[in-house]
Amino acid sequence: SWSIVLTHGYELVDKSKSVSNYHQWVGYLVCMACMFSWRKAMTTRPGYITAKTIVKFDHYPYDNILFVEKRICPTVGIRKIARSKFDRVSGRHVARFDHYCGWVGNSLGEENYRYFLLFLAVHVGMCAYGTIILVRCLYDEIVEMDLLNATFYIAGTGEAVSASKIVVFQYLMARHFALAGTLLLMSVMGLVLAAFLSFHLYITAKGMTTNEWYKWRQVSLWHRNAKKEYDAAVKEGRPVKVFETTIQVVDTTDGDVGCTGQSGDGDVGKAEDRGEGAAVKDGNNQCVQAVANPGPFPTNIYNRGIRENFMEVIFPRSLRQDALERWKKAYTEIQVATETQNNENKGDGNKQKVQ
């Protein structure tokens, strides 16, 4: 699109009376900003969790709904810290995993999600800016050539056609086909990207990632169905449990989460009882399953307010001074333990030689 604008659009900018020539230089800056944001989102690591780096990323509490304590990742064999997930595309365990984005060819997590938002914002701005400039350039040509009052002739037949908005649009499409196609692409993609950016700004404001948003949808579906069933049981006089149930989203597989959503083999909702006596006897002395009260909808403990939620994205916790010092201390301890073990093994070898 940029190459088309550069080779065909700048000629219209030179002729335009409402678009200043400095927009030609702004165009170069916009293109460089797009390339920079894309490159930054593509090359910045999301925050890979290994046995050596787990201390650096272990700063979120378990909510025991989406993320439960004492679970081991079945793929890489390390403890699953809160808000992390294994990404099958990259083959790594990612901290504060959001999703894998094919447009930047990278997993999005704690340390590069901010650059993904920058990538979206810059490209939304580019599409809006390019659309406005091209529309003004083409409109200037309509005014200068007085196309709305012109007479057009159909190629081949020579039939005269009076000017209308549709006829003028067809004329511009034929005369500036490459630019018109680019204008259509930018306007449509601008709307799509704006909607996608709005979604990510929304879940960021709510203290969620894309992965967590899909999981909360499962929780909401379970809670809505359970509440509906419980209310119906109370109304019909069927047996109900006096205690409440709780919900956990169990990772049965390492399902993928991408730009288009979660794969079908992802996470599954599971309800667990807070108490005993799931089965009760009805009036006919028959053992029946009592309906549990789902209780109030659980809250997202990672939602700390709009300001703090965005601060965690712009300034990731893993890159703050306390996390880096904690990681450095743990790494030093590992190094010392390794050297000590090597020295002991070396000493045992020398003893064997003496014997």
Side-chain angles (χ1 to χ4, degrees):
S1 296
W2 169 246
S3 63
I4 292 174
V5 172
L6 181 64
T7 55
H8 296 82
Y10 275 24
E11 180 182 353
L12 292 181
V13 173
D14 287 332
K15 297 178 181 179
S16 176
K17 294 181 180 179
S18 62
V19 179
S20 302
N21 286 338
Y22 73 82
H23 285 287
Q24 295 179 350
W25 297 103
V26 175
Y28 286 107
L29 297 177
V30 171
C31 180
M32 288 189 291
C34 290
M35 297 301 295
F36 170 79
S37 63
W38 172 70
R39 180 72 179 175
K40 196 68 177 176
M42 181 177 65
T43 58
T44 304
R45 290 192 169 193
Y48 294 128
I49 302 175
T50 64
K52 293 183 178 180
T53 63
I54 190 171
V55 176
K56 178 184 178 184
F57 299 103
D58 191 11
H59 37 239
Y60 288 107
Y62 292 95
D63 63 355
N64 290 319
I65 300 175
L66 308 185
F67 307 100
V68 184
E69 297 180 82
K70 298 179 181 179
R71 283 189 177 166
I72 304 298
C73 176
T75 308
V76 296
I78 62 174
R79 178 170 59 90
K80 297 183 68 173
I81 64 175
R83 312 194 79 177
S84 67
K85 182 172 173 52
F86 178 79
D87 174 39
R88 288 194 296 183
V89 180
S90 62
R92 309 290 291 272
H93 207 86
V94 180
R96 201 181 181 276
F97 178 78
D98 191 89
H99 73 282
Y100 180 87
C101 179
W103 295 102
V104 299
N106 197 4
S107 304
L108 301 176
E110 183 167 343
E111 295 186 350
N112 68 347
Y113 182 64
R114 51 183 175 170
Y115 295 121
F116 174 71
L117 293 182
L118 175 66
F119 164 77
L120 290 180
V122 168
H123 281 75
V124 169
M126 179 270 292
C127 289
Y129 172 74
T131 299
I132 293 172
I133 294 300
L134 286 184
V135 166
R136 293 180 65 179
C137 287
L138 294 176
Y139 180 76
D140 285 346
E141 183 168 320
I142 294 175
V143 174
E144 183 180 352
M145 299 178 65
D146 196 19
L147 295 179
L148 292 176
N149 297 315
T151 300
F152 297 87
Y153 296 89
I154 299 177
T157 64
E159 180 184 354
V161 179
S162 300
S164 66
K165 293 181 179 180
I166 296 179
V167 172
V168 171
F169 174 78
Q170 292 175 338
Y171 170 79
L172 292 176
M173 284 290 294
R175 178 178 172 84
H176 303 288
F177 178 76
L179 279 179
T182 301
L183 174 60
L184 182 62
L185 174 65
M186 284 193 298
S187 58
V188 173
M189 286 303 299
L191 295 175
V192 174
L193 288 174
F196 195 46
L197 174 62
S198 299
F199 167 75
H200 279 277
L201 292 178
Y202 168 77
I203 62 174
T204 299
K206 292 293 185 179
M208 291 186 290
T209 64
T210 301
N211 176 49
E212 294 166 3
W213 182 77
Y214 280 106
K215 290 183 176 181
W216 277 114
R217 287 181 63 187
Q218 295 175 355
V219 174
S220 177
L221 178 62
W222 171 87
H223 187 270
R224 184 167 59 251
N225 292 336
K227 188 73 167 73
K228 184 178 180 180
E229 184 180 359
Y230 177 78
D231 292 341
V234 172
K235 184 177 180 180
E236 297 169 5
R238 288 185 284 137
V240 296
K241 301 176 185 178
V242 296
F243 48 84
E244 297 175 355
T245 59
T246 185
I247 181 71
Q248 290 181 358
V249 180
V250 181
D251 294 333
T252 56
T253 66
D254 290 320
D256 298 325
V257 177
C259 295
T260 57
Q262 189 177 29
S263 63
D265 59 350
D267 304 325
V268 188
K270 177 184 178 182
E272 296 180 354
D273 295 324
R274 291 185 192 145
E276 301 295 336
V280 296
K281 292 185 178 181
D282 60 8
N284 297 324
N285 203 29
Q286 298 293 323
C287 189
V288 296
Q289 188 73 23
V291 179
N293 179 10
F297 189 80
T299 58
N300 178 18
I301 67 171
Y302 306 120
N303 184 5
R304 305 181 61 192
I306 296 178
R307 182 181 180 277
E308 185 60 29
N309 292 339
F310 275 97
M311 290 295 289
E312 287 188 354
V313 170
I314 300 173
F315 303 103
R317 290 190 180 189
S318 60
L319 297 179
R320 298 178 185 180
Q321 190 63 31
D322 57 339
L324 295 176
E325 291 179 355
R326 186 172 65 246
W327 180 36
K328 182 179 179 180
K329 180 180 178 181
Y331 185 78
T332 302
E333 292 175 351
I334 293 176
Q335 290 290 98
V336 171
T338 302
E339 292 179 1
T340 303
Q341 183 65 33
N342 291 337
N343 292 333
E344 291 178 355
N345 294 338
K346 184 177 180 181
D348 292 340
N350 292 333
K351 290 179 180 180
Q352 292 177 359
K353 289 181 180 179
V354 171
Q355 291 174 355

